[in-house]
Amino acid sequence: MGADNRPYRVTADAAVQDLNDHELVRLEALQADLSLKDGSWLSVNAKNGLMHNGLQTLQLDGQIEAYSDFGYAFYTQSAQIDLKAGSLYSDQPVRLQGPYGHLRAKTMRATERGQRLHFAGDVKVIIFPRSGEAG
């Protein structure tokens, strides 16, 4: 659990503990399930990860995909998650798609357990009109 008692679970095909820092674990083919502040969830898959149990941080690399129960999908190649603070940062190009549209940007920051999203760098957005509304 994070500092605010929000549950999270991290599983991996392989986990290797660092010999110099026993709280640091290298992960392969990992999945992280996170409970958000509003009761919704987020599932994150990545090729590689580095988790620090004491600091409650998770560094993800290689083919990252995240899915929310709101119907959104997020894709990037590198991200840092602070499980305690409930924040995510990616300095690699990101792509977000969902029921209301698509978004691309060069960087992304999510804070307040996903309540605030900030995209920067050549941001492109396509918004789908709601069904029944004039275009």
Side-chain angles (χ1 to χ4, degrees), residues 11-104:
T11 58
D13 286 354
V16 178
Q17 191 173 36
D18 189 286
L19 295 175
N20 296 319
D21 184 346
H22 295 293
E23 295 199 69
L24 194 60
V25 180
R26 297 183 191 287
L27 306 165
E28 292 180 18
L30 68 101
Q31 179 180 1
D33 294 314
L34 310 159
S35 173
L36 304 178
K37 190 174 187 175
D38 63 2
S40 62
W41 55 265
L42 180 68
S43 180
V44 181
N45 301 307
K47 187 174 180 183
N48 299 301
L50 191 60
M51 182 168 184
H52 194 286
N53 290 318
L55 298 174
Q56 293 185 327
T57 58
L58 184 57
Q59 167 69 42
L60 304 175
D61 291 297
Q63 200 171 356
I64 300 164
E65 301 174 347
Y67 304 95
S68 79
D69 63 349
F70 291 119
Y72 285 93
F74 165 79
Y75 307 95
T76 191
Q77 290 295 313
S78 176
Q80 301 81 38
I81 299 175
D82 184 329
L83 296 163
K84 189 186 298 185
S87 64
L88 177 144
Y89 175 72
S90 179
D91 61 359
Q92 296 294 311
V94 297
R95 183 168 48 101
L96 181 73
Q97 63 187 47
Y100 299 111
H102 298 244
L103 182 144
R104 292 180 185 265

